[in-house]
Amino acid sequence: ATSELKQLLEESFDRYCAQLSADITDEMAFPAYLRGNALSRYFFWRKLEYVIKAAALRPDTAVFDFGCGSGVLLPTLSDEGRVVWATDLHLGPAQYLTSAMKLSSVEFLDPDAWQKEIPDGRLDVIIAANVLEHIEDRKSLLRILAQILKPDGRLVVSGPTEGELYRMGRRLIGFSGDYHVSTIYDILSDVRETGFRNVYQHKLPFIEPFCLYIIASFQSANS
């Protein structure tokens, strides 16, 4: 991460921490990127590197950041002529970051109406990083995402294992958010059942039982 990005995240956090509850800013990972100990900060920034690697981004393509959170991925996603759509339940922090960095190719979509804004088969990449674990009717959402993705497009997911090591880490950094509806293992299973095949996977930092997060990308099983 650049020093400019970190500084703007600090400013965004200062601006919105009084407006949003602690569990919301925790879920956006503001404290994990900016506070906590050096090890936890390392893992969160490192996880983003693997999300980008899993996306296999190409210039002049179309990307959807579903659950964009603080907007931390948007500077990279919008580089090299890419068009980016983004949505989140709380768009203020990502909009602040995008405006400050003058990311003109990013368009924010209403979290309740984004399905109407993206045509079928339009997207080259969909990023759903650390968001699907919060969604109960996940298979219905995945079918919609599959519909707006190109036949050879990529769906990138990441999420927590919710193992004992992960839970201990949450306690160490003082995380106040709720535990999640499901784990990354549930997510991966649902993605496969929706008709995707796994093309990339990374476990961070190690394999089980010392795994905190899994980052994976998928393509249509027919591609």
Side-chain angles (χ1 to χ4, degrees), residues 139-154:
K139 289 184 180 179
S140 294
L141 170 64
L142 287 168
R143 284 191 287 270
I144 295 171
L145 296 180
Q147 191 171 335
I148 59 177
L149 195 63
K150 290 181 178 180
D152 61 345
R154 284 201 174 203

Side-chain angles (χ1 to χ4, degrees), residues 126-138:
I126 297 174
I127 308 278
N130 286 67
V131 62
L132 296 180
E133 62 268 24
H134 302 284
I135 296 173
E136 294 187 17
D137 190 8
R138 192 166 42 244

Side-chain angles (χ1 to χ4, degrees), residues 210-222:
F210 306 107
C211 179
L212 299 173
Y213 297 95
I214 296 177
I215 303 98
S217 62
F218 293 82
Q219 288 182 306
S220 168
N222 298 321

Side-chain angles (χ1 to χ4, degrees), residues 159-203:
T161 60
E162 292 288 351
E164 185 54 39
L165 184 63
Y166 176 81
R167 290 172 179 261
M168 182 177 68
R170 285 165 61 108
R171 293 192 294 269
L172 288 175
I173 64 174
F175 189 89
S176 64
D178 294 331
Y179 282 107
H180 304 122
V181 171
S182 53
T183 72
I184 185 60
Y185 303 108
D186 301 316
I187 293 167
L188 297 178
S189 176
D190 286 348
V191 174
R192 294 187 186 102
E193 289 181 20
T194 309
F196 288 93
R197 61 183 177 89
N198 199 183
V199 294
Y200 172 89
Q201 185 164 298
H202 181 82
K203 296 181 179 182

Side-chain angles (χ1 to χ4, degrees), residues 49-71:
E49 294 178 18
Y50 284 110
V51 168
I52 294 300
K53 182 177 181 180
L57 296 169
R58 292 175 286 123
D60 304 311
T61 49
V63 182
F64 182 32
D65 191 352
F66 178 79
C68 60
S70 66

